[in-house]
Amino acid sequence: MLVQLTYASRVSRTLSSDDIKNILSSSQKNNKADGVTGALCLSNGIFLQILEGDRQKVNKAYHKILADARHKDPAILDYREVISRKFSEWSMGLITRSDDNRQLFLKYSSSSDFDPYSMSGETLRGFFSEVVDNVRWLRKSPD
Amino acid sequence: MLVQLTYASRVSRTLSSDDIKNILSSSQKNNKADGVTGALCLSNGIFLQILEGDRQKVNKAYHKILADARHKDPAILDYREVISRKFSEWSMGLITRSDDNRQLFLKYSSSSDFDPYSMSGETLRGFFSEVVDNVRWLRKSPD
Amino acid sequence: MLVQLTYASRVSRTLSSDDIKNILSSSQKNNKADGVTGALCLSNGIFLQILEGDRQKVNKAYHKILADARHKDPAILDYREVISRKFSEWSMGLITRSDDNRQLFLKYSSSSDFDPYSMSGETLRGFFSEVVDNVRWLRKSPD
Amino acid sequence: MLVQLTYASRVSRTLSSDDIKNILSSSQKNNKADGVTGALCLSNGIFLQILEGDRQKVNKAYHKILADARHKDPAILDYREVISRKFSEWSMGLITRSDDNRQLFLKYSSSSDFDPYSMSGETLRGFFSEVVDNVRWLRKSPD
Amino acid sequence: MLVQLTYASRVSRTLSSDDIKNILSSSQKNNKADGVTGALCLSNGIFLQILEGDRQKVNKAYHKILADARHKDPAILDYREVISRKFSEWSMGLITRSDDNRQLFLKYSSSSDFDPYSMSGETLRGFFSEVVDNVRWLRKSPD
Amino acid sequence: MLVQLTYASRVSRTLSSDDIKNILSSSQKNNKADGVTGALCLSNGIFLQILEGDRQKVNKAYHKILADARHKDPAILDYREVISRKFSEWSMGLITRSDDNRQLFLKYSSSSDFDPYSMSGETLRGFFSEVVDNVRWLRKSPD
Amino acid sequence: MLVQLTYASRVSRTLSSDDIKNILSSSQKNNKADGVTGALCLSNGIFLQILEGDRQKVNKAYHKILADARHKDPAILDYREVISRKFSEWSMGLITRSDDNRQLFLKYSSSSDFDPYSMSGETLRGFFSEVVDNVRWLRKSPD
Amino acid sequence: MLVQLTYASRVSRTLSSDDIKNILSSSQKNNKADGVTGALCLSNGIFLQILEGDRQKVNKAYHKILADARHKDPAILDYREVISRKFSEWSMGLITRSDDNRQLFLKYSSSSDFDPYSMSGETLRGFFSEVVDNVRWLRKSPD
Amino acid sequence: MLVQLTYASRVSRTLSSDDIKNILSSSQKNNKADGVTGALCLSNGIFLQILEGDRQKVNKAYHKILADARHKDPAILDYREVISRKFSEWSMGLITRSDDNRQLFLKYSSSSDFDPYSMSGETLRGFFSEVVDNVRWLRKSPD
Amino acid sequence: MLVQLTYASRVSRTLSSDDIKNILSSSQKNNKADGVTGALCLSNGIFLQILEGDRQKVNKAYHKILADARHKDPAILDYREVISRKFSEWSMGLITRSDDNRQLFLKYSSSSDFDPYSMSGETLRGFFSEVVDNVRWLRKSPD
Ligand SMILES: Cc1cc2nc3c(=O)[nH]c(=O)nc-3n(C[C@H](O)[C@H](O)[C@H](O)COP(=O)(O)O)c2cc1C
Ligand SMILES: Cc1cc2nc3c(=O)[nH]c(=O)nc-3n(C[C@H](O)[C@H](O)[C@H](O)COP(=O)(O)O)c2cc1C
Ligand SMILES: Cc1cc2nc3c(=O)[nH]c(=O)nc-3n(C[C@H](O)[C@H](O)[C@H](O)COP(=O)(O)O)c2cc1C
Ligand SMILES: Cc1cc2nc3c(=O)[nH]c(=O)nc-3n(C[C@H](O)[C@H](O)[C@H](O)COP(=O)(O)O)c2cc1C
Ligand SMILES: Cc1cc2nc3c(=O)[nH]c(=O)nc-3n(C[C@H](O)[C@H](O)[C@H](O)COP(=O)(O)O)c2cc1C
Ligand SMILES: Cc1cc2nc3c(=O)[nH]c(=O)nc-3n(C[C@H](O)[C@H](O)[C@H](O)COP(=O)(O)O)c2cc1C
Ligand SMILES: Cc1cc2nc3c(=O)[nH]c(=O)nc-3n(C[C@H](O)[C@H](O)[C@H](O)COP(=O)(O)O)c2cc1C
Ligand SMILES: Cc1cc2nc3c(=O)[nH]c(=O)nc-3n(C[C@H](O)[C@H](O)[C@H](O)COP(=O)(O)O)c2cc1C
Ligand SMILES: Cc1cc2nc3c(=O)[nH]c(=O)nc-3n(C[C@H](O)[C@H](O)[C@H](O)COP(=O)(O)O)c2cc1C
Ligand SMILES: Cc1cc2nc3c(=O)[nH]c(=O)nc-3n(C[C@H](O)[C@H](O)[C@H](O)COP(=O)(O)O)c2cc1C
């Protein structure tokens, strides 16, 4: 069963670009092995991650990520069974709120600061769809 | 929760172009701070405004605008929860009924004079959709 | 409330091209004043007219047209509340069955002679949609 | 083709109960002959009538009724093709706003006075459905 | 493939009750053998028959009935593939317009005389559904 | 045009039962005159009110209520055009969170304390539907 | 009322190209006069014909064609009321299974031989839609 | 994943009541162990069986049954993923065409003889739904 | 925002009835305080729990429960935003697979052993709906 | 009746390219004769085949293929009645997981290894649609 799980969390301390590089490189290694794909946004001190793959594997990944001391206040925001993946090209892509996509973030946020905690599941799906459809040029970390 | 609120009001006295400039500049300043976006039409002595953003922020803006002596006879014409914004590029755009868009106004009005007070919510949504889709060249006040 | 009313009638006597010119010129003058738009087909001795605008104004126009001695056997064939107008560019356009659009008339008629009296509301809406979408070049009387 | 046409009009002068009796008796005689059925509401000096039957017969009835000097300001409010009649038991039933059905009128009116001129087609259909379903005991004039 | 075919025809001459009895008895014998079920209405000199069963068998029955000199002016009015039969209990039931069901006929007819030639497929289906649901007591010829 | 507007506000100071009685009696007098109907909930120091009637009248009522010093922090939570009223029997009914309906409040609230500010439009409509359908015995103030 | 009727039949004997020419020329003459349009497929010794036009005229044509000795085993396969015609450009077009459209026939047939007797109404509609949309170059007999 | 598979087959030789008893007793034993439920119809020398349970288990059962010499000409007629079982009370119920349910069989068959090979998936689902809903008294072999 | 989260886990060791009592009593105390409601099934050594309430509170509860050493192998199986609660009467009800509800468990399981890990979100929702609708008598722990 | 059947199986032993060539050549010969079309995927030691055509012919093909010793563990994964074929151009096309279409396989698989046994019917249909629409250049074995 293919599922998508989306959660948000807060950075527990200021993260260096090495921290991020480190998160991405383990993600890409582990996720590839488990057939997990997805995207990770970081903006405003908040992580927003979508994980997709086999239900059991996504659960395993999520429950492992929960234990990571680099973030806190985890909250599942959306979860669904899907027919196919949206991010089959990314074992874990990073999206940051650059000048280029400031308006994309605003379009789906209720505040001008990026605040996924207040976004509904449907809004989150709209956001990630537009990320996938329009913003391929944002890709920092294609496989 | 993202919402859109649309209301109409009548100018309470003849407004100079400075009045309008003043309304727009406070709007843009305040709305940007609160993550509120939208558009303001002025035609036939009637304001038609759509405000979108966080439910609480849109309510705050609307209830503050109500107190402005430059208009009267406010009437909420439409209100909905939405997945995303239509006007994420405009902290408050101004649309006036120029020769260029006379027919756009007529298409959604029941009279040849612009009369939003008689328009249904669905007609108003149709009107603003066409404003956003087709009439980007009308923009007077992009951010 | 925006509505569309469609009716058919028969010419009560042979009409000269001056009669038609006269009907169109009063229509365009009056309809513009009342924010009424639409189209008038004449073929096979039968009028088919669609009127759109404010419910009260469309009713006023229809009830006035009823009294015109130049036609008889009026029959309302379709009536609906709409979100927007289809003919916002025409205060009253004339469409006649020229060689160019013979097949358009046949596509929606059950007989080879144009007979709107036998057409359902849905067929009439299909007919007028195709008139608006495809046959703009037919326009004899744009505003 | 079976259709339903609903219109409102205003009494042109105070009507006696003989006037009403007279309208109902001609209606019932003529409508039975033409296979027309329906209901007539009288409240607040306003008539609201629904006529159903063959498209041609309903048009004939409506265009004849228009000429009646006992009312004025006619306005077609709703019209549709239908699969079956709602009032097959009534060649013309009279419904007045008695104490018993005061709330039924209010439920579908926007004002506390009965004002069909402001009612949408959908509201009118809701009103007549509830008349047929719940208020059979109101019948004054069954066939 | 299960289908339903509905057609109307006119009696070609006055039919005696023996004619009817004869039509029904051959129908019941033949239809039972072929797994054809349905109902036959006779009113106002017009037959309205619904035949249901295997597509090939219904076609065979219809094309055979066409040759019967007791009726003329056949017209197919409705035809559909169905999931199940409506008349599985009747190899051919007779329904006549008695006093008891006068209003049922009127509810689906556009005129007060029974005229299936003017009824749409959807109206005919509504009519036969109500026959099956409400009027089982009308049955003259259950198997 | 019939509309429903739902808003919440907070009591600005502790209200006596006379305050409440007073609000209800002016509401009932004014609303009856304007054809406005609805319900007012008071629980946990929060008002939740639904107003229904003509769009203009509901706007007038809401904008007047805004000025009342007995409450603060107004927030429009839902607004829609409707076919008919839900509360045609109540010019303003009071619903308080008694022991009897504690679970009804919980069913639609996200917290155990009644907090309409966090309820979506759809949840609010579910809540008021159940109030109307099941809890007629709660009525404190029928007309 | 506009309808479409589709039936199949088998050639009763080998037909010469003169037979076909003859069928097409009477069809085109008669159908044009009656406002009937459509298409005729001939493949594998089986005719598949779609007739569209006024319900009465299509019935007349079909019942006349039934009597033609050049074919046998007629079977109505589909019949529907439609909003508009699909073949308004063809009073009767001929489509044969040439090399060019072999795959079009296979796409909608259950066997590799063309066998319309086994096709459902929906499959037949799919087949004729694709004929009209994609295969205009197949036209042998445009008007 | 819960699925339902329906197939038909023909008895390969005359079966004694002991054969049937034997089929049912192995079915009930094996199916209970594998969490497979369903029903088996026998009429007119044809088996029609619905098997429901885990996708893998239903496949295993079907592929084993295929090898049974007591039947031949197997044909899968319907297969779907389902939310829940219809026959959770029957590890394998037997339904035969008794006098009592003759009409139930006819209602869903195109011929008067029971012929599941000609039934569509939707017709089969209709048949089994009515078996479950209405014919619980037919049960020969409840667990 | 009201949400429902459903997860499964396995008992990490044999649990005594005191363990269960203890889990239920803390659940009921904590959940009541946080406005969380739901149900807990225990069968076949597997827990299946549905938690409903405010998104943030449900997340808090779930992330706390994850840390409990009495179970392992947690897997989120379903999660949705809802209009209202299903279990507003239960701060945490216990449902065990007794003889009485054996068939209810089978109806939604693909195996005869209760195995929620293989159930889809839709099947789980079907299961809990039937628990709420039909099995109120199962309640062990109403508030 | 046109149907599509999809099943998976495992190679029973290592297959040479001659084995594959042999399977494809008999498939193409036999399927062409029976009007069966489809596609065969081979990846990760697993066959995934879709067969489409007449219900009886597809059943015949499937039941014959079952007996082939070159594969084992057959499991029907999807089956439906369809309006038209998806693969009318292929009597049996071969699709292997080359570098070019690695992501297409991943998009619809829950694991990074191709595992059709875990795919739902809807996911399989999505997969084959994308094969047909986008990957025509993959074709190894067009007719
Ligand atoms: C916000 C965030 C997102 C992460 N996403 C993933 C992920 O998608 N996959 C993954 O394996 N690890 C992810 N990690 C890292 C894990 O928490 C953990 O450090 C990593 O899986 C350990 O990998 P290793 O066992 O290969 O060292 C994430 C960490 C953070 C803070
Ligand atoms: C028709 C109309 C629309 C307005 N729209 C906005 C608006 O969208 N945002 C806003 O902050 N002020 C708006 N205003 C102005 C406010 O009423 C008020 O003057 C302004 O918010 C005061 O800003 P300040 O506190 O920064 O001076 C509007 C005024 C009018 C008459
Ligand atoms: C078929 C037909 C259609 C007409 N349509 C319109 C119309 O759309 N608007 C209109 O004002 N008059 C229309 N007329 C003319 C009116 O009947 C009437 O002559 C006209 O409104 C008088 O205009 P006046 O008062 O300006 O002289 C129509 C007449 C006919 C015969
Ligand atoms: C509000 C109103 C409704 C009427 N409804 C009908 C009606 O449904 N049918 C009808 O024949 N006449 C109706 N009439 C009466 C006609 O206007 C006209 O007087 C009547 O048809 C004349 O009938 P007679 O020709 O038999 O004298 C109505 C009149 C009024 C004022
Ligand atoms: C209106 C009408 C409906 C009929 N319906 C049927 C019918 O449903 N089945 C049937 O076998 N014959 C029907 N018949 C009779 C046939 O036309 C024909 O007389 C009959 O099938 C001959 O039967 P036999 O060959 O057993 O004598 C009908 C005739 C008429 C006029
Ligand atoms: C929460 C709240 C709800 C109210 N609802 C209504 C109402 O529905 N209708 C109304 O006329 N007044 C309502 N009022 C009272 C008005 O604010 C105002 O006091 C009242 O309309 C004055 O009536 P009067 O002009 O007849 O004295 C409400 C007040 C409060 C605090
Ligand atoms: C398969 C087939 C299809 C036919 N289609 C038509 C047709 O669409 N229209 C038509 O008038 N005649 C059609 N015909 C011919 C008629 O059966 C008949 O011969 C013709 O209408 C006689 O025309 P006429 O009276 O002008 O000689 C068809 C014949 C066959 C065998
Ligand atoms: C029409 C038919 C239906 C059957 N259905 C089932 C069934 O649902 N389950 C089953 O286990 N065996 C079924 N069988 C019997 C199997 O073919 C086989 O005889 C049986 O599973 C052997 O069981 P055993 O291994 O316990 O002896 C069926 C046989 C026939 C002919
Ligand atoms: C399967 C399972 C379900 C549980 N469900 C809940 C629950 O719904 N709410 C809750 O507060 N604790 C639940 N608990 C218990 C918590 O894990 C934890 O023991 C408890 O919240 C501690 O409560 P306390 O802090 O009041 O001692 C559950 C434990 C298990 C093993
Ligand atoms: C995975 C797989 C798929 C096959 N697909 C087909 C097929 O679609 N059609 C077919 O006729 N044979 C297919 N075969 C081959 C048949 O099992 C069988 O060998 C073949 O039909 C025998 O053909 P012949 O009788 O012409 O020798 C397939 C075999 C395998 C292992």
Side-chain angles (χ1 to χ4, degrees), chain F residues 7 9 23 26-27 29-31 40 47 49 51 64-65 68 70-71 92:
Chain F
Y7 75 90
S9 61
I23 288 172
S26 347
S27 297
K29 176 178 48 85
N30 295 332
N31 294 356
L40 178 65
F47 285 117
Q49 186 171 28
L51 294 164
K64 179 181 177 186
I65 296 169
D68 196 312
R70 286 168 291 194
H71 64 165
M92 193 45 60

mmCIF file of all heavy atoms in Angstrom, chain F residues 7 9 23 26-27 29-31 40 47 49 51 64-65 68 70-71 92, ligand 6:
data_model
loop_
_atom_site.group_PDB
_atom_site.id
_atom_site.type_symbol
_atom_site.label_atom_id
_atom_site.label_comp_id
_atom_site.label_asym_id
_atom_site.label_seq_id
_atom_site.Cartn_x
_atom_site.Cartn_y
_atom_site.Cartn_z
ATOM 1 N N TYR F 7 -21.117 34.118 13.571
ATOM 2 C CA TYR F 7 -19.927 34.773 14.121
ATOM 3 C C TYR F 7 -19.787 34.373 15.584
ATOM 4 O O TYR F 7 -20.742 33.901 16.209
ATOM 5 C CB TYR F 7 -20.028 36.296 13.989
ATOM 6 C CG TYR F 7 -20.984 36.892 14.977
ATOM 7 C CD1 TYR F 7 -20.542 37.314 16.239
ATOM 8 C CD2 TYR F 7 -22.334 37.007 14.683
ATOM 9 C CE1 TYR F 7 -21.434 37.822 17.166
ATOM 10 C CE2 TYR F 7 -23.230 37.515 15.605
ATOM 11 C CZ TYR F 7 -22.771 37.914 16.847
ATOM 12 O OH TYR F 7 -23.657 38.403 17.767
ATOM 13 N N SER F 9 -18.064 35.834 19.420
ATOM 14 C CA SER F 9 -17.489 36.992 20.134
ATOM 15 C C SER F 9 -17.321 36.582 21.597
ATOM 16 O O SER F 9 -17.814 35.536 22.013
ATOM 17 C CB SER F 9 -18.413 38.218 20.020
ATOM 18 O OG SER F 9 -19.672 37.939 20.595
ATOM 19 N N ILE F 23 -30.797 41.206 25.935
ATOM 20 C CA ILE F 23 -30.331 40.943 24.570
ATOM 21 C C ILE F 23 -31.386 40.181 23.797
ATOM 22 O O ILE F 23 -31.726 40.515 22.653
ATOM 23 C CB ILE F 23 -28.996 40.131 24.593
ATOM 24 C CG1 ILE F 23 -27.843 41.027 25.067
ATOM 25 C CG2 ILE F 23 -28.694 39.538 23.219
ATOM 26 C CD1 ILE F 23 -26.538 40.279 25.308
ATOM 27 N N SER F 26 -34.574 42.409 22.930
ATOM 28 C CA SER F 26 -34.411 43.314 21.773
ATOM 29 C C SER F 26 -34.245 42.512 20.489
ATOM 30 O O SER F 26 -34.767 42.889 19.429
ATOM 31 C CB SER F 26 -33.197 44.251 21.846
ATOM 32 O OG SER F 26 -32.605 44.314 23.094
ATOM 33 N N SER F 27 -33.501 41.414 20.566
ATOM 34 C CA SER F 27 -33.284 40.605 19.376
ATOM 35 C C SER F 27 -34.625 40.160 18.809
ATOM 36 O O SER F 27 -34.897 40.291 17.610
ATOM 37 C CB SER F 27 -32.473 39.351 19.713
ATOM 38 O OG SER F 27 -31.203 39.701 20.180
ATOM 39 N N LYS F 29 -37.629 41.325 19.245
ATOM 40 C CA LYS F 29 -38.424 42.425 18.699
ATOM 41 C C LYS F 29 -37.871 42.874 17.339
ATOM 42 O O LYS F 29 -38.593 42.885 16.331
ATOM 43 C CB LYS F 29 -38.407 43.607 19.686
ATOM 44 C CG LYS F 29 -39.118 44.855 19.172
ATOM 45 C CD LYS F 29 -39.109 45.976 20.211
ATOM 46 C CE LYS F 29 -37.744 46.234 20.835
ATOM 47 N NZ LYS F 29 -36.825 47.117 20.131
ATOM 48 N N ASN F 30 -36.572 43.183 17.298
ATOM 49 C CA ASN F 30 -35.982 43.703 16.046
ATOM 50 C C ASN F 30 -35.970 42.663 14.927
ATOM 51 O O ASN F 30 -36.267 42.976 13.770
ATOM 52 C CB ASN F 30 -34.543 44.160 16.278
ATOM 53 C CG ASN F 30 -34.475 45.339 17.228
ATOM 54 O OD1 ASN F 30 -35.416 46.136 17.310
ATOM 55 N ND2 ASN F 30 -33.381 45.440 17.975
ATOM 56 N N ASN F 31 -35.591 41.462 15.275
ATOM 57 C CA ASN F 31 -35.462 40.438 14.243
ATOM 58 C C ASN F 31 -36.815 40.118 13.622
ATOM 59 O O ASN F 31 -36.916 39.942 12.402
ATOM 60 C CB ASN F 31 -34.818 39.177 14.812
ATOM 61 C CG ASN F 31 -33.375 39.424 15.228
ATOM 62 O OD1 ASN F 31 -32.856 40.519 15.010
ATOM 63 N ND2 ASN F 31 -32.734 38.434 15.832
ATOM 64 N N LEU F 40 -28.657 31.789 19.272
ATOM 65 C CA LEU F 40 -27.525 32.371 20.005
ATOM 66 C C LEU F 40 -27.082 31.371 21.058
ATOM 67 O O LEU F 40 -27.888 30.955 21.885
ATOM 68 C CB LEU F 40 -27.990 33.681 20.670
ATOM 69 C CG LEU F 40 -26.984 34.441 21.539
ATOM 70 C CD1 LEU F 40 -25.812 34.957 20.709
ATOM 71 C CD2 LEU F 40 -27.685 35.616 22.240
ATOM 72 N N PHE F 47 -19.914 33.929 22.873
ATOM 73 C CA PHE F 47 -21.161 33.912 22.106
ATOM 74 C C PHE F 47 -20.900 33.275 20.744
ATOM 75 O O PHE F 47 -19.855 33.537 20.121
ATOM 76 C CB PHE F 47 -21.654 35.334 21.818
ATOM 77 C CG PHE F 47 -22.265 36.039 22.991
ATOM 78 C CD1 PHE F 47 -21.682 37.193 23.511
ATOM 79 C CD2 PHE F 47 -23.458 35.579 23.541
ATOM 80 C CE1 PHE F 47 -22.257 37.867 24.581
ATOM 81 C CE2 PHE F 47 -24.049 36.248 24.618
ATOM 82 C CZ PHE F 47 -23.440 37.389 25.135
ATOM 83 N N GLN F 49 -23.320 33.052 17.344
ATOM 84 C CA GLN F 49 -24.660 33.402 16.868
ATOM 85 C C GLN F 49 -24.776 33.116 15.374
ATOM 86 O O GLN F 49 -23.849 33.373 14.600
ATOM 87 C CB GLN F 49 -24.933 34.889 17.128
ATOM 88 C CG GLN F 49 -26.378 35.283 16.783
ATOM 89 C CD GLN F 49 -26.757 36.678 17.220
ATOM 90 O OE1 GLN F 49 -25.883 37.553 17.305
ATOM 91 N NE2 GLN F 49 -28.018 36.908 17.500
ATOM 92 N N LEU F 51 -27.251 34.115 12.233
ATOM 93 C CA LEU F 51 -28.305 35.049 11.811
ATOM 94 C C LEU F 51 -28.712 34.659 10.403
ATOM 95 O O LEU F 51 -27.855 34.474 9.547
ATOM 96 C CB LEU F 51 -27.738 36.474 11.780
ATOM 97 C CG LEU F 51 -27.313 37.086 13.109
ATOM 98 C CD1 LEU F 51 -26.429 38.321 12.872
ATOM 99 C CD2 LEU F 51 -28.537 37.473 13.935
ATOM 100 N N LYS F 64 -24.893 46.275 13.348
ATOM 101 C CA LYS F 64 -25.411 46.914 14.570
ATOM 102 C C LYS F 64 -24.923 46.184 15.821
ATOM 103 O O LYS F 64 -24.492 46.803 16.796
ATOM 104 C CB LYS F 64 -26.938 46.882 14.510
ATOM 105 C CG LYS F 64 -27.639 47.485 15.706
ATOM 106 C CD LYS F 64 -29.156 47.362 15.505
ATOM 107 C CE LYS F 64 -29.941 47.881 16.702
ATOM 108 N NZ LYS F 64 -31.392 47.591 16.494
ATOM 109 N N ILE F 65 -24.994 44.851 15.780
ATOM 110 C CA ILE F 65 -24.565 44.059 16.938
ATOM 111 C C ILE F 65 -23.086 44.305 17.243
ATOM 112 O O ILE F 65 -22.676 44.340 18.413
ATOM 113 C CB ILE F 65 -24.821 42.545 16.677
ATOM 114 C CG1 ILE F 65 -26.327 42.265 16.543
ATOM 115 C CG2 ILE F 65 -24.225 41.686 17.773
ATOM 116 C CD1 ILE F 65 -26.681 40.867 16.029
ATOM 117 N N ASP F 68 -22.194 46.705 19.958
ATOM 118 C CA ASP F 68 -22.673 46.465 21.321
ATOM 119 C C ASP F 68 -21.482 46.281 22.265
ATOM 120 O O ASP F 68 -20.621 45.430 22.045
ATOM 121 C CB ASP F 68 -23.564 45.207 21.314
ATOM 122 C CG ASP F 68 -24.408 45.089 22.565
ATOM 123 O OD1 ASP F 68 -23.850 45.242 23.680
ATOM 124 O OD2 ASP F 68 -25.617 44.875 22.417
ATOM 125 N N ARG F 70 -21.326 44.984 25.105
ATOM 126 C CA ARG F 70 -21.357 43.786 25.953
ATOM 127 C C ARG F 70 -20.503 42.633 25.426
ATOM 128 O O ARG F 70 -20.365 41.616 26.077
ATOM 129 C CB ARG F 70 -22.816 43.332 26.146
ATOM 130 C CG ARG F 70 -23.582 44.247 27.093
ATOM 131 C CD ARG F 70 -25.067 43.975 27.059
ATOM 132 N NE ARG F 70 -25.688 44.362 25.780
ATOM 133 C CZ ARG F 70 -27.001 44.482 25.602
ATOM 134 N NH1 ARG F 70 -27.848 44.224 26.591
ATOM 135 N NH2 ARG F 70 -27.474 44.846 24.426
ATOM 136 N N HIS F 71 -19.979 42.782 24.207
ATOM 137 C CA HIS F 71 -19.069 41.730 23.709
ATOM 138 C C HIS F 71 -17.913 42.354 22.932
ATOM 139 O O HIS F 71 -17.931 43.543 22.633
ATOM 140 C CB HIS F 71 -19.815 40.670 22.871
ATOM 141 C CG HIS F 71 -20.426 41.206 21.612
ATOM 142 N ND1 HIS F 71 -20.862 40.368 20.617
ATOM 143 C CD2 HIS F 71 -20.707 42.476 21.193
ATOM 144 C CE1 HIS F 71 -21.375 41.095 19.635
ATOM 145 N NE2 HIS F 71 -21.300 42.368 19.966
ATOM 146 N N MET F 92 -35.033 34.480 17.716
ATOM 147 C CA MET F 92 -33.666 34.314 18.269
ATOM 148 C C MET F 92 -33.739 33.368 19.453
ATOM 149 O O MET F 92 -34.201 33.732 20.533
ATOM 150 C CB MET F 92 -33.025 35.651 18.682
ATOM 151 C CG MET F 92 -31.520 35.569 18.951
ATOM 152 S SD MET F 92 -30.541 34.609 17.705
ATOM 153 C CE MET F 92 -30.857 35.518 16.210
HETATM 154 C C1 LIG K 6 -24.143 38.671 21.444
HETATM 155 C C2 LIG K 6 -25.230 39.632 21.081
HETATM 156 C C3 LIG K 6 -26.198 39.265 20.138
HETATM 157 C C4 LIG K 6 -27.183 40.131 19.747
HETATM 158 N N1 LIG K 6 -28.114 39.748 18.809
HETATM 159 C C5 LIG K 6 -29.024 40.611 18.363
HETATM 160 C C6 LIG K 6 -29.926 40.287 17.344
HETATM 161 O O1 LIG K 6 -29.919 39.173 16.811
HETATM 162 N N2 LIG K 6 -30.802 41.199 16.942
HETATM 163 C C7 LIG K 6 -30.859 42.415 17.502
HETATM 164 O O2 LIG K 6 -31.679 43.210 17.082
HETATM 165 N N3 LIG K 6 -30.035 42.761 18.507
HETATM 166 C C8 LIG K 6 -29.114 41.897 18.950
HETATM 167 N N4 LIG K 6 -28.271 42.248 19.967
HETATM 168 C C9 LIG K 6 -28.474 43.501 20.662
HETATM 169 C C10 LIG K 6 -27.940 44.660 19.865
HETATM 170 O O3 LIG K 6 -26.570 44.772 20.015
HETATM 171 C C11 LIG K 6 -28.631 45.922 20.333
HETATM 172 O O4 LIG K 6 -28.451 46.028 21.691
HETATM 173 C C12 LIG K 6 -30.083 45.885 20.069
HETATM 174 O O5 LIG K 6 -30.349 45.570 18.702
HETATM 175 C C13 LIG K 6 -30.666 47.251 20.373
HETATM 176 O O6 LIG K 6 -32.030 47.133 20.181
HETATM 177 P P1 LIG K 6 -32.951 48.378 20.321
HETATM 178 O O7 LIG K 6 -32.449 49.362 19.280
HETATM 179 O O8 LIG K 6 -34.305 47.833 20.049
HETATM 180 O O9 LIG K 6 -32.737 48.878 21.720
HETATM 181 C C14 LIG K 6 -27.261 41.384 20.356
HETATM 182 C C15 LIG K 6 -26.300 41.731 21.297
HETATM 183 C C16 LIG K 6 -25.302 40.875 21.682
HETATM 184 C C17 LIG K 6 -24.278 41.267 22.690
#
